[in-house]
Structures are given as C-alpha cells and as structure tokens.
C-alpha cells in the first residue's frame, strides 16, 4: 500500500534557512555554515524533516546570492566546500535532509560566462545568453521586479547589444535554446548531488525559454528541458528531489509535475495570500475557492505550502481588487510594499497575536501538502521595513537576549544587518532561549502542532472535503486517508462560533482533539455541535 512506500518528501515538513542570517561562528558579523551546523539540534527539535538553504555560492550579492558568479563554490563569508560537506554529514546524522537552491534561469553579470559572452562575439559563451540588437523582442513578457527595472532588456556597452533578464539587470538570463547551457546545468546538479545533497529548490523555472508572441512563461520547450533534468536525476540518483518555484496559478503549475516525470514538488503560491485574506475577513471562502481551482496532481508528487518566505509576500496570484485590499489591510505604510507584494514577516502581519499565528499555521497544516516554515517565524520574529529590498525579513535569528541576540559575537556595528530591537519585537523578549522555557510560547506550540502533523499522515496525504459551507466564519475541513479521519475546524473570527455539523459518514465515531489531547464527544446521527473560541481551532481525530 501507499503508506508503506510513500517517499520521504510526501509527508515532510521543511524549514527554510538563510545561512547569512542564522548563526555567525567566526565573529565577522555574517552567518556561516559552521554556525548553521551548531544549530542543527535546534532544527531537529522543531520536528522538521528537511532544510532548504538559500544560495551559498560566490556572488556579488546584488540579489542576496541569487546572482551566482560561480556554481561550484561557496561564498567565503559562508565557509568552504569542506564545511558544506560537514553540514550534509551532520544533517544526515540527525535524519535531516538538505536541499539547496538551483538557480537555472540566470547568472550574475560577474559570472565568467557572461564576461566572456559580452566581450567576445566569437567566444562559445556568446550564445550562453540571450542577445539582441534591439530591445523590442518578447514585449509580452511582464517585468517582475517592477520597483527597480523598467525593461527586461539592458544595453551592454561592451557587446554593443541588449541582453535579456527577467530579474535585476545584474542577472542576465541564460539561453536555454543552447544545448551547451543545459549540459552546464546538468554538471552543476551532478557536483552538488555527488556532495550528498538531497535535492534542489529550482528557482524561477517558468522563464527558461523565450518565444515571440508569448508571455515567455511556462512554455512547452521549458517543460522539455526541466523533464530532461528530472530524467538525469532519476537515472543517476535515488531519493533526491526537485522542487519547483513557479509563482503561477495551480492549473499552470500542474504541468510542472508532468506525468510524475518533471518535478516531485511545487510551491502552491496562490493559497498563501488567501490564508491572510481569510483570517482578516473572517471568511473561509477565499480558501475554499482556491482549493476548488487546485487540480489533483500525479501520484508521488506533492505541493509545498507556506505562509511566508524570504521574498515579499507576493500578490501576483490575486485579482487587482484583492491586491489593493491586501495592501490596505496588511501594508498600510508604503514602505511595507515591494513590487507586487508585502515585505513583512508573519508575526507583524498577524498583529503579533499568538492566536492568529497559531491559527494560520493550523490552517496551513490542515491542507494537503508539505508545509515550509520560514526561519524565525516559529518564534514570532519581527521585521525591519526600513532595510532595502527584501532584507527586512532576513535579519539575524534571535537566539537569546545577549548582545546581537546570540547570533554573533562581533561588534553590533559589524553585523550584516541589525537585529530587531523594537519595543514589540525586541530580541530581548523574542528569542529561542526564552521561548523554549515557556510552555505557552509560540515556539513550543508550533513544535506540538508540527509533531501532530507529522505523526498523522492523513494531513499531508489524505483527501479533503469542506463542510459547513454556509458557516463562512469558520473553515471546516474533513481529511481522510485510508481509514483515518481528521476533522479540522478553525474559527477565522475574533468572536465565539457555534458550529453545527452533519456527519452522516462518521456516526458513532468518537472525536478526540489532537491539540488539547481531550475527548470531544461522540458523533451522533443528528447534529454535532462544536464551540470555537475566537481564532480557536480543533483538529479532531474521529475513531471508533
Ligand atoms: C526567486 C527567489 C528570489 C530571487 C529571484 C531571482 O524568486 O525566491 O529571492 O530574487 O528568484 O533569482
Ligand atoms: Ca561568520
């Protein structure tokens, strides 16, 4: 049966870490690989299965490492390849998987390929990038970094031509019509897989190929290339995964799973803003709607679901009206907005209200898929909207109330970014050491939720059915897998709610709340009532 052979990522919980931000081991004010290694026990204790680390490669850091200058090394600030091998070894020792970013679409303009490409028309590297004599090709492609870029083309003096880039001008797009580029990336994959990593979060995959007359996203040729990477992985490695970053509607993400022969996993972007909408509006409809738009995916493929990540909270997958509403509600200060999104962390977004933070997580975990937790959100860390770009959600992890929040022993002035020290979110209050001691802390409550989520595969793998659809203030979702049933009832409002449920299929079963570990009565043939506290929730396992 499926339960026996389910691959590890199907019922997994991920933890996203920025090495720069996590722990500095050598007092230079910058987090590093040995620092992360020293915190693996903490990560293990959270109950997660897999760490996703942001780019660690040599880079001029114009996009915090997503602009790679050398795919085969480690940024010296972060350590060495040896350190990286140690990280993998130490993680595996603790039964933790590690995946890393694979940035396929573009390199840094400092990459030797681009330097050769622009300098010498006869170099084999000229054709590694997308050049044009004019800047009017592919005009239907949108601009992603709207706040900074005016065009996807930039003129290069040296080449005397324009080059194509979907992100910053310092990130020229690779030319995937050139088979040599595909081969280069296969070598990059091989290098890191041979070092023992468990897979890749493949960055910005929709944009590999450009074609005139299209928006240059999700093209069939792009899927062909991605499938060839998957085939390479399957032929040479076992148990390793590819996770797609395709910020698209579910129907457009579906092809990234192929027939189970493209990506193992894909982020579910559009459900994320709708969780925030639902909690602010006290209305479950946005979630029910987006789930109704979410197709079934092939066997042994899985959605990755999340509340926040290292980027702005993207509002690309909502209507214009919804976007304006989200901005008005969640980003009242212009400084909180970035591109088509919101640069804030989970706790500040949810008014630093622990009930809402736990509700958001409980709602996320109640959906099918593999949840990802963004570092710091498990302790309710704040943000710093005054830092440039997305740096405000990438500040140092807060370990304790010592200088620099225990992140570093460097002088505070030397830190890559200041620790959060506002009244409400100061590291003196919000830190791991403090939270670990307090049984009612967000950290301890998150740990408990994670544990329950993990040990009941029905959450990750089961079918779902929405109930009580007329009672829109609550999200009620029945999860079923084999003979296991979990009824999740979540109150999206700040008022008490009385729910009345009809559960003919479950008559006679006893309900036990997994969160409070309390018996909740038997389901009868008539109505079953539940009383929910403001922003409260139950995860009721229904058994004989
Ligand atoms: C992805 C990353 C983002 C980066 C962009 C360009 O969207 O998540 O941080 O800026 O790709 O590489
Ligand atoms: Ca360091």
């Amino acid at each position: 049966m499926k339960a026996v052979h389910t691959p590890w990522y199907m019922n997994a919980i991920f933890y996203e870490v920025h090495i720069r931000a996590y722990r500095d081991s050598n007092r230079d004010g910058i987090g590093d690989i040995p620092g992360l290694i020293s915190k693996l026990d903490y990560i293990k204790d959270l109950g997660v299965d897999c760490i996703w680390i942001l780019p660690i490669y040599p880079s001029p850091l114009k996009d915090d490492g997503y602009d790679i200058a050398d795919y085969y090394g480690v940024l010296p600030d972060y350590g060495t390849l040896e350190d990286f091998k140690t990280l993998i070894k130490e993680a595996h020792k603790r039964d933790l998987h590690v995946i890393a970013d694979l940035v396929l679409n573009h390199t840094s303009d400092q990459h030797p390929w681009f330097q050769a490409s622009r300098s010498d028309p006869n170099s084999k590297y000229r054709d590694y990038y997308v050049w044009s004599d004019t800047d009017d090709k592919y005009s239907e492609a949108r601009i992603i970094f709207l706040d900074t870029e005016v065009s996807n083309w930039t003129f290069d003096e040296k080449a005397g031509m324009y080059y194509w880039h979907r992100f910053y001008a310092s990130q020229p797009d690779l030319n995937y019509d050139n088979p040599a580029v595909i081969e280069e990336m296969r070598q990059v994959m091989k290098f890191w897989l041979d070092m023992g990593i468990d897979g890749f979060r493949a960055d910005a995959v929709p944009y590999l190929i450009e074609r005139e007359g299209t928006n240059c996203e999700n093209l069939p040729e792009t899927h062909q290339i991605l499938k060839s990477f998957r085939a390479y992985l399957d032929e040479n490695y076992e148990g390793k995964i590819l996770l797609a970053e395709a910020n698209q509607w579910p129907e457009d993400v579906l092809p990234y799973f192929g027939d189970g022969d493209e990506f193992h996993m894909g982020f579910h972007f559009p459900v994320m803003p709708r969780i925030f909408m639902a909690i602010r509006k006290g209305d479950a409809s946005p979630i029910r709607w987006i789930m109704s738009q979410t197709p079934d995916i092939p066997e042994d493929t899985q959605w990755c679901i999340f509340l926040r990540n290292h980027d702005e909270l993207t509002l690309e997958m909502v209507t214009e009206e919804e976007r304006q509403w989200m901005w008005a509600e969640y980003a009242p200060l212009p400084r909180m907005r970035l591109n088509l999104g919101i640069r804030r962390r989970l706790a500040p977004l949810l008014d630093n209200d622990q009930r809402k933070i736990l509700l958001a997580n409980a709602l996320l975990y109640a959906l099918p898929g593999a949840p990802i937790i963004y570092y710091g959100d498990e302790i309710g860390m704040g943000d710093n909207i005054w830092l440039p770009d997305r740096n405000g959600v990438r500040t140092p992890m807060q370990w304790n109330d010592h200088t620099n929040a225990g992140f570093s022993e460097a002088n505070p002035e030397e830190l890559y970014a200041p620790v959060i020290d506002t009244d409400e979110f100061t590291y003196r209050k919000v830190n791991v050491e403090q939270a670990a001691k307090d049984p009612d802390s967000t950290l301890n409550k998150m740990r408990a939720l994670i544990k329950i989520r993990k040990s009941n595969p029905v959450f990750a793998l089961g079918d779902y059915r929405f109930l009580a659809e007329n009672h829109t203030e609550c999200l009620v979702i029945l999860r079923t897998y084999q003979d296991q049933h979990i009824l999740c009832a979540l109150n999206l409002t700040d008022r008490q709610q009385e729910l009345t449920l009809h559960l003919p299929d479950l008559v006679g079963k006893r309900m036990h709340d997994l969160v409070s570990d309390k018996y909740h009565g038997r389901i009868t043939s008539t109505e079953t009532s539940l009383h929910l506290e403001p922003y409260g929730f139950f995860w009721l396992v229904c058994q004989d």
Side-chain angles (χ1 to χ4, degrees):
M1 282 293 294
K2 213 174 168 184
V4 181
H5 297 293
T6 305
W8 69 267
Y9 55 85
M10 293 294 289
N11 178 23
I13 298 182
F14 288 69
Y15 185 64
E16 179 186 356
V17 173
H18 194 12
I19 289 195
R20 165 171 300 266
Y22 213 57
R23 162 73 192 154
D24 169 24
S25 72
N26 63 349
R27 301 168 174 247
D28 64 356
I30 303 169
D32 43 53
I33 299 173
L36 172 59
I37 295 172
S38 72
K39 297 297 184 185
L40 286 174
D41 287 334
Y42 165 76
I43 295 175
K44 180 69 190 171
D45 279 351
L46 260 181
V48 302
D49 303 275
C50 182
I51 307 173
W52 155 31
I53 47 172
L54 298 190
I56 53 165
Y57 319 99
S59 162
L61 303 177
K62 298 275 170 54
D63 185 7
D64 214 357
Y66 281 95
D67 47 331
I68 299 177
D70 171 10
Y71 284 89
Y72 295 101
V74 171
L75 186 77
D77 289 344
Y78 295 163
T80 63
L81 281 170
E82 276 315 305
D83 291 333
F84 188 77
K85 281 188 202 156
T86 311
L87 168 66
I88 301 289
K89 204 175 78 203
E90 290 296 320
H92 286 175
K93 237 196 241 168
R94 292 164 176 81
D95 240 346
L96 287 167
H97 294 88
V98 180
I99 63 169
D101 262 281
L102 179 66
V103 184
L104 295 167
N105 181 66
H106 45 265
T107 69
S108 159
D109 58 3
Q110 301 305 307
H111 196 291
W113 298 340
F114 188 72
Q115 290 304 322
S117 186
R118 65 193 287 237
S119 321
D120 178 2
N122 299 316
S123 148
K124 72 165 184 169
Y125 295 110
R126 173 54 65 102
D127 208 26
Y128 269 42
Y129 295 86
V130 182
W131 293 100
S132 170
D133 290 325
T134 64
D135 63 354
D136 52 11
K137 276 164 83 178
Y138 315 135
S139 58
E140 286 165 51
R142 69 194 165 111
I143 294 168
I144 297 169
F145 286 164
L146 274 170
D147 288 359
T148 33
E149 300 302 317
V150 289
S151 167
N152 288 324
W153 291 106
T154 290
F155 187 73
D156 183 66
E157 296 286 348
K158 230 177 196 163
M161 293 169 96
Y162 294 89
Y163 63 91
W164 179 249
H165 55 89
R166 291 311 300 271
F167 296 93
Y168 288 128
S170 51
Q171 291 165 299
D173 271 39
L174 285 162
N175 173 18
Y176 275 88
D177 280 320
N178 180 353
V181 167
I182 302 175
E183 182 50 34
E184 292 279 9
M185 281 306 157
R186 219 174 273 140
Q187 292 309 314
V188 170
M189 287 174 67
K190 177 174 171 20
F191 181 80
W192 294 98
L193 290 163
D194 287 345
M195 209 152 338
I197 67 164
D198 299 293
F200 300 102
R201 178 262 193 192
D203 182 65
V205 290
Y207 318 110
L208 299 189
I209 290 281
E210 300 73 38
R211 288 290 178 265
E212 203 55 76
T214 75
N215 67 356
C216 301
E217 300 187 14
N218 312 322
L219 298 183
E221 295 90 335
T222 293
H223 285 290
Q224 279 316 313
I225 292 162
L226 294 167
K227 280 194 167 74
S228 78
F229 290 138
R230 169 64 183 268
Y232 173 76
L233 194 79
D234 285 351
E235 275 157 33
N236 298 284
Y237 302 90
E238 233 190 274
K240 315 262 176 171
I241 59 162
L242 292 174
L243 158 60
E245 189 218 11
N247 185 354
Q248 304 283 333
W249 292 101
E251 70 200 51
D252 294 321
V253 180
L254 182 63
Y256 288 92
F257 297 108
D259 294 318
D261 60 352
E262 205 168 310
F263 281 91
H264 302 80
M265 311 187 84
F267 288 111
H268 196 312
F269 273 93
V271 76
M272 179 273 297
R274 288 174 178 81
I275 295 175
F276 290 93
M277 275 183 214
I279 293 178
R280 194 65 136 215
K281 283 188 173 156
D283 177 4
S285 330
I287 294 167
R288 290 206 298 252
W289 180 78
I290 195 63
M291 292 308 287
S292 76
Q293 302 297 303
T294 302
D296 287 338
I297 53 176
E299 192 170 345
D300 290 346
T301 64
Q302 185 61 298
W303 292 108
C304 269
I305 48 178
F306 60 97
L307 296 170
R308 288 296 295 113
N309 63 22
H310 65 290
D311 287 325
E312 68 275 28
L313 188 168
T314 165
L315 298 175
E316 277 157 286
M317 295 297 131
V318 298
T319 65
E320 180 55 33
E321 197 188 332
E322 290 169 328
R323 187 177 302 136
Q324 294 303 333
W325 185 87
M326 282 290 289
W327 269 330
E329 291 292 327
Y330 282 111
L333 303 179
R335 187 74 204 175
M336 294 171 171
R337 304 175 188 186
L338 181 72
N339 299 317
L340 285 186
I342 299 173
R343 47 174 157 197
R344 301 183 72 195
R345 265 189 182 269
L346 185 65
L349 282 165
L350 297 179
D351 310 314
N352 201 19
D353 181 336
Q354 194 196 54
R355 296 171 308 172
K356 291 190 211 175
I357 295 170
L358 295 174
L359 178 73
N361 279 288
L363 199 169
L364 186 78
Y365 303 171
L367 299 174
I372 300 196
I373 298 160
Y374 183 48
Y375 88 89
D377 282 348
E378 75 274 21
I379 55 167
M381 245 170 76
D383 51 34
N384 181 349
I385 56 168
W386 305 105
L387 296 178
D389 203 343
R390 290 147 291 176
N391 298 2
V393 300
R394 302 177 186 178
T395 62
M397 179 67 177
Q398 295 165 198
W399 296 104
N400 56 41
D401 61 4
H402 307 170
T403 315
N404 301 331
F407 160 73
S408 170
E409 278 79 51
N411 290 322
E413 300 73 30
E414 287 177 294
L415 299 197
Y416 77 91
V419 297
I420 303 283
D421 196 12
T422 56
D423 287 350
E424 195 174 7
F425 291 101
T426 172
Y427 67 94
R428 291 165 227 266
K429 284 192 296 203
V430 182
N431 63 63
V432 170
E433 194 178 288
Q434 180 64 34
K437 281 191 289 213
D438 174 3
D440 293 324
S441 66
T442 302
L443 175 65
N444 280 321
K445 294 197 167 183
M446 287 269 298
R447 281 180 178 152
L449 290 182
I450 291 168
K451 198 163 169 200
I452 299 168
R453 220 270 177 185
K454 260 300 285 184
S455 48
N456 292 278
V458 57
F459 283 113
L461 306 175
D463 298 331
Y464 68 90
R465 184 151 58 94
F466 290 115
L467 303 175
E469 300 211 21
N470 294 329
H471 198 129
T472 54
E473 294 89 347
C474 295
L475 183 80
V476 186
I477 178 169
L478 178 65
R479 306 296 317 278
T480 302
Y481 183 61
Q482 295 168 350
D483 55 0
Q484 228 202 336
H485 307 279
I486 295 181
L487 179 67
C488 304
L490 304 109
N491 178 359
L492 303 168
T493 71
D494 60 358
R495 302 175 301 280
Q496 315 222 344
Q497 299 286 338
E498 304 296 334
L499 265 180
T500 313
L501 302 172
H502 301 276
L503 303 162
D505 308 347
L506 300 175
V507 171
K509 298 212 184 284
R510 299 152 57 89
M511 297 186 290
H512 187 90
D513 182 27
L514 294 166
V515 182
S516 61
D517 197 16
K518 281 197 185 118
Y519 176 60
H520 243 271
R522 204 179 271 276
I523 299 170
T524 64
S525 56
T526 52
E527 287 170 347
T528 304
S529 325
L530 291 178
H531 170 90
L532 287 160
E533 292 297 321
Y535 299 117
F537 61 91
F538 296 119
W539 282 350
L540 300 164
V541 61
C542 309
Q543 343 170 275
D544 294 328

